[in-house]
Amino acid sequence: MVGDRIYDVEGAATLGMPTVFALWGYGEPHESANAIAAASSPSGLLPLLQGTMQDSTTGQ
């Protein structure tokens, strides 16, 4: 899931889905605390969604 508010991160976690936090959205950076990653721009999503960046929670 991609979200820009803590409600997105929390809602996805309730359903067992990881979230990539969209730093360019409406939320504050601290709202990304429980996301697996954060992207500073839409183009920054591509490597994350393709799995070319390590998951910060598992190191894989």
Side-chain angles (χ1 to χ4, degrees):
M1 160 126 179
V2 177
D4 65 351
R5 296 301 312 257
I6 194 168
Y7 311 110
D8 300 325
V9 178
E10 291 172 345
T14 299
L15 298 172
M17 296 186 324
T19 303
V20 174
F21 196 80
L23 291 170
W24 70 90
Y26 292 102
E28 297 294 324
H30 71 272
E31 294 184 65
S32 69
N34 293 318
I36 63 163
S40 59
S41 67
S43 63
L45 286 173
L46 187 58
L48 296 172
L49 297 176
Q50 290 179 325
T52 57
M53 183 180 143
Q54 287 187 356
D55 181 326
S56 63
T57 61
T58 65
Q60 298 181 12

